[in-house]
Structures are given as structure tokens and as C-alpha cells.
Amino acid sequence: MEEFGVFGVFGINGPPQKLLSAHGSCRASVAIPASVHQVVLFSSGHWGERICVNAELNDADRFPITIGKLTPYNKCLSWEQWEEETWTNGVTLTITLEGGDLVNAEVAKTGEEEEEENTCPNGAQEKTTPVGKVKGQGKSSKRLGSFKEETVHYVFSSVALLISPSARWGQTLCPIDAQTAILIGGQGARMQFCKDPMWKLCTEDMSWMAAETLAEGPTPETRIGHTATFDPDSKRIFVFGGSKNRKWFNDVHILDTQTWRWSMVEAQGKVPPLAYHSCSMFRGELFVLGGVFPRPNPEPDGCSDSLYIFDPQLSIWYQPIVTGDKPSPRSGHSACVIQQRYIYVFGGWDTPVCYNDMYMLDLGLMEFSAVKTTGKAPSPRSWHGSAVLSDTKFLIHGGYNGNNALSDAFIFDIETHSWTEAALPQLSVPRAGHSIIAMETGSLHGFQEEGKSCRKTLLVFGGGDNEGNFYSDLTTVAVKELLDAL
């Protein structure tokens, strides 16, 4: 069996105190005496596929002091008590290891007599590598307390290995640079909201890393039908709206991808709670169009035809003056920003009608117009995926037509106003509520060869077939090959 390593808390002169070393999912808590000035949590050994180790430090009133996460790239966490602070009644360190088999155990921690060798559950001996001495806070050094005759009760449960996101739909996948995209939210089988709501995708090798606790600050509540939009100038992701069961959101959460900190905006102006709207970034502002909003009972939920703009600089919502022929109320539609001048809106639904019409918003004139198209157009649909492929073309794939999920794909050319059906054998499974992004991906080795540009790649994740099946697959398609095949 695979050796995992040892997680421990240690003092100045004492050996690492074994907290957990398991092939199962484990949650353990240990009381830290008030005299302790520094807490260190570390791992040694092979990580394997166990990448979700959450750590939470709480005071006596269960108030979270800080939350951290051990990953294969960061195998040590430490907390220090500053001189002006006080842990009068001590603190509690709670750690959760996710992944593995079902194991049941109760382990008594030893005191200073504990040997340096710790026994793993599989019976193998693993030598604990000393991490080194730790200096206490202040002038005098103190040990991390005595652990004699204390018992840690391990609560094990069977949890699937989390090496990739669970199956879901209604999530967002947001690229932030050539090597990284961020997955947020979603709902899976039996209408259960995902317990692993945030992941980081590394496009160098298409690997996933659980990221729900990597960032500090108030994390958005898990939801579906929201939008996540990246501003390349400020390097921030803006999460707006969505719904969870009968709860609707009109909040704005911002993730600063440079500091990895969440913040929640206290915005001025009015914007209704919305889900399945579209959100486009233009000159640093968010353009939110349409969406479903809750109406007072007994009326059913309704769709919006309004355009709202959020200005992050002033933290204010406002409605612009728009002229022309605007789209009818709808949700589940798509919106693509082309040439940093136009927003093309396609499809959507307003119960019981699905649409396949096209509208264009000229961002310079703030004027809507209906687009007359040629060629074979996509059938009416909502909850489809869309992505900008070039300065003149964008893709529509899949969606839901009111009865069935779809798997076909079409490319629209804004110069000729024509539709062309595209063959995507990699995406033959019908799906709706999935995520599609087109991004410049870096090389497999993390650097760009001289004279060669990054390749543009279409990434498709998740979705469902409206028959109770949800997906967690990630499919990649080279944009150049897709356009060359037209």
C-alpha cells in the first residue's frame, strides 16, 4: 500500500506528535494549550492522490482564527501568536484529510516517550524526518505543551478520491492566464450542490487542484447559474448572482488572483437577484443582461430583458440608456464580446419558449440590433456553451431545447453573418449547463519556445444530459484545427 506521510504538531524540544496517517478520509481535532506560541502542521512522505487536507484553527468559542490548506506544493503550515494577542483558553486545530478507503480507528497520542518512528496503519515503519527547531514567540522559548494521556478520536468516512472536480452543471470556468483557469460552483446528482465548489486547472498538463481554501476572505456561497468574469487589467475575478435552492443572489464577490483573497462588494444602486444571466467585461465594467429573477408568490419566476452595468471603481450599479431593437426577456442565453466593440447575444428561454435568434449590442453607440443570419442556424436552445474563437468567429455548442440535451456545434462569422455547422466528435455526448472557454494555453513544459506563440485551445467541462446524468470530464480541442476544418 502507498505510504502517505505524517501530519504533526511539535514543540521546541519534543518530537512530532502524530495526528493522522491513513488511507482513509479522516477528521481529527487536537487542543492546543494556551501557553503555546506557535503551531506547525506538516506532512512528510508521498502524497499520491490525496490532495485535500484542510486545516482550521479556532479559539475557545469556535471562532475561526485562520484557515489553511496543505497541498502537494505546500506541505507545511504554521500559525504564530503575536505579542499583543492572547490565546487565554487555548485553541483547537482541526484537520480533514479527504480521500481513500473506509477505515475505523481510535489512536492515543503518546507523550515525550514517543519514539521517532511512527507506525502507519498498514504496518509499515516510516521514519519521521525532523523539520527542525522552532523558536517561540518573544524572548523565551516555550514547548508546545504536554500531550501525555490525551486521546484523539478519529472519525473516518468513505470519500471518493478528489483528484478532479465532481460531476456538475451550472458552474463557471474562468481563465486567468495561459496556464490557469478557475472552476467555481455547480450542482450535481440529486440536486445536491457540490461540496468541492472551487478548483484550479493547470493547462500545462490539464491537472486539477482543489482550491476552495487556497484563498483568504469570505468565499461565495456555493451556487449555480452565476457568472464569473475575469478582468485582465486588475487581475480579478468578479462572481455575480446565481441561485441555491430557493435562495437568489445579487451579490458581487471579487477574487484577487494576485493576493488570492476574496472580498465582497457593498455596492450602491439596485440590481435584482439574477441567475442564468450573461455577464461581459468591457473597459473594466460588467455588462449583465437578462436572467431569471424571483417574483413574489404566487407568481412564477420571470425573465429579464434589462441591461445592468457594474462599475468596480465606484462600486455602483446603473442602467445605461440603450436604443434599438433589444432582445426579449430571456435567460440561459450566451453573450460573446467580439473585437472589444460588440456583444453578440444568442438563444435562451422564457418558459415555455426557447430561442435561436441573434442580437448585437454596439458598445460604442449603446444600440441593440437584430442580426439577420444565413446558413444553417442552431436550433432553439438555452444553457448552451459559447466561446470566442477569433476576432470574427464564435462557437455555440450543446444546450437544452425544452425536451432534450443537445450535442451539435455551430460557428458564427460576424463578417458574413453566416452559420456553419462544425464537427466535434470529441463532444458527441449531449450536454447542457456545461462550461466552454477558449484560451491561449502555455506549453507542456511551462515555457514558450522562441518564435512560437501560445496555442489557442477550446476547453469543455461538465454539464448534464437532463436525464439525471452529470459529467466531470474535461475535453480539449485545438481552435486552429477546428477553424481549418470549416
Side-chain angles (χ1 to χ4, degrees), residues 51-52 54 69 71 162 165 180-184 195-201 208-216 219 255 260 262:
I51 59 173
C52 291
N54 302 310
K69 190 180 190 71
T71 74
L162 292 179
T180 315
I182 304 298
L183 176 68
I184 300 175
K195 296 181 179 179
D196 55 327
M198 187 172 174
W199 289 78
K200 181 187 290 188
L201 173 66
W208 292 98
M209 177 192 296
E212 58 266 29
T213 59
L214 288 184
E216 299 178 345
T219 305
L255 175 61
W260 284 104
W262 283 104

Side-chain angles (χ1 to χ4, degrees), residues 2 4 7 20 22-26 43 46-55 68-75 77 96-100 159-166 196 198-202 206-214:
E2 178 193 28
F4 178 73
F7 292 86
L20 59 93
H23 289 271
S25 177
C26 176
S43 166
H46 301 289
W47 273 77
E49 295 177 333
R50 296 171 177 84
I51 59 173
C52 291
V53 182
N54 302 310
K69 190 180 190 71
L70 290 177
T71 74
Y73 310 100
N74 179 27
K75 296 187 178 183
L77 293 172
T96 306
L97 169 66
E98 298 178 352
V159 178
L161 291 176
L162 292 179
I163 59 174
S164 63
S166 59
D196 55 327
M198 187 172 174
W199 289 78
K200 181 187 290 188
L201 173 66
C202 175
M206 296 303 166
S207 63
W208 292 98
M209 177 192 296
E212 58 266 29
T213 59
L214 288 184

Side-chain angles (χ1 to χ4, degrees), residues 99 135 248 289:
K135 295 182 180 180
W248 300 72
L289 175 67

Side-chain angles (χ1 to χ4, degrees), residues 400-414:
Y400 179 66
N401 64 9
N403 294 304
N404 303 298
L406 307 169
S407 63
D408 49 3
F410 298 83
I411 294 176
F412 185 74
D413 189 322
I414 69 168

Side-chain angles (χ1 to χ4, degrees), residues 147-475:
F147 291 92
K148 288 184 178 181
E149 299 179 356
E150 295 183 23
T151 301
V152 175
H153 296 275
Y154 289 79
V155 181
F156 290 85
S157 61
S158 180
V159 178
L161 291 176
L162 292 179
I163 59 174
S164 63
S166 59
R168 68 192 67 196
W169 84 292
Q171 71 286 334
T172 56
L173 185 61
C174 183
I176 62 174
D177 57 42
Q179 289 81 36
T180 315
I182 304 298
L183 176 68
I184 300 175
Q187 184 184 67
R190 297 184 298 278
M191 299 183 68
Q192 297 295 309
F193 283 84
C194 298
K195 296 181 179 179
D196 55 327
M198 187 172 174
W199 289 78
K200 181 187 290 188
L201 173 66
C202 175
T203 61
E204 292 179 350
D205 57 1
M206 296 303 166
S207 63
W208 292 98
M209 177 192 296
E212 58 266 29
T213 59
L214 288 184
E216 299 178 345
T219 305
E221 188 174 347
T222 305
R223 59 192 68 189
I224 58 174
H226 56 288
T227 50
T229 311
F230 180 67
D231 179 12
D233 294 329
S234 65
K235 308 297 183 185
R236 296 184 296 175
I237 296 176
F238 294 83
V239 177
F240 169 72
S243 66
K244 182 178 183 180
N245 299 324
R246 298 192 178 188
K247 185 175 183 179
W248 300 72
F249 301 98
N250 64 347
D251 49 3
V252 178
H253 293 262
I254 300 176
L255 175 61
D256 189 320
T257 62
Q258 293 180 306
T259 63
W260 284 104
R261 183 170 184 84
W262 283 104
S263 61
M264 185 173 176
V265 178
E266 294 184 3
Q268 298 179 344
K270 291 184 178 181
V271 62
L274 291 171
Y276 308 110
H277 51 281
S278 64
C279 184
S280 307
M281 177 67 68
F282 176 68
R283 293 182 178 175
E285 294 184 317
L286 301 180
F287 285 63
V288 173
L289 175 67
V292 177
F293 61 91
R295 289 178 174 172
N297 291 329
E299 296 182 44
D301 300 331
C303 288
S304 170
D305 62 352
S306 298
L307 175 65
Y308 296 89
I309 297 180
F310 178 70
D311 183 346
Q313 295 293 331
L314 301 176
S315 294
I316 188 171
W317 286 97
Y318 67 94
Q319 286 188 268
I321 297 175
V322 181
T323 61
D325 184 11
K326 70 177 183 178
S328 59
R330 65 191 60 204
S331 65
H333 54 285
S334 60
C336 294
V337 179
I338 301 288
Q339 299 177 358
Q340 286 301 304
R341 174 65 188 269
Y342 309 104
I343 297 180
Y344 281 83
V345 179
F346 171 78
W349 65 272
D350 186 5
T351 305
V353 180
C354 268
Y355 299 105
N356 68 339
D357 49 4
M358 176 90 73
Y359 287 85
M360 185 266 289
L361 173 62
D362 187 317
L363 293 167
L365 303 174
M366 292 306 292
E367 180 181 14
F368 271 111
S369 61
V371 180
K372 295 182 179 179
T373 67
T374 61
K376 182 182 177 181
S379 58
R381 65 192 64 201
S382 63
W383 301 335
H384 50 277
S386 67
V388 176
L389 305 179
S390 69
D391 287 340
T392 60
K393 295 179 177 64
F394 64 86
L395 172 83
I396 297 295
H397 172 266
Y400 179 66
N401 64 9
N403 294 304
N404 303 298
L406 307 169
S407 63
D408 49 3
F410 298 83
I411 294 176
F412 185 74
D413 189 322
I414 69 168
E415 292 184 328
T416 62
H417 285 188
S418 62
W419 285 106
T420 303
E421 188 167 10
L424 283 177
Q426 307 97 317
L427 298 172
S428 58
V429 176
R431 66 184 72 205
H434 50 303
S435 299
I436 298 184
I437 57 174
M439 59 185 292
E440 303 286 349
T441 55
S443 66
L444 181 62
H445 301 290
F447 59 87
Q448 184 176 324
E449 296 183 26
E450 185 176 356
K452 293 185 179 181
S453 60
C454 292
R455 61 188 182 276
K456 195 165 191 177
T457 306
L458 197 70
L459 289 83
V460 183
F461 171 79
D465 64 357
N466 202 49
E467 300 292 335
N469 297 311
F470 297 87
Y471 308 115
S472 61
D473 56 331
L474 178 68
T475 303

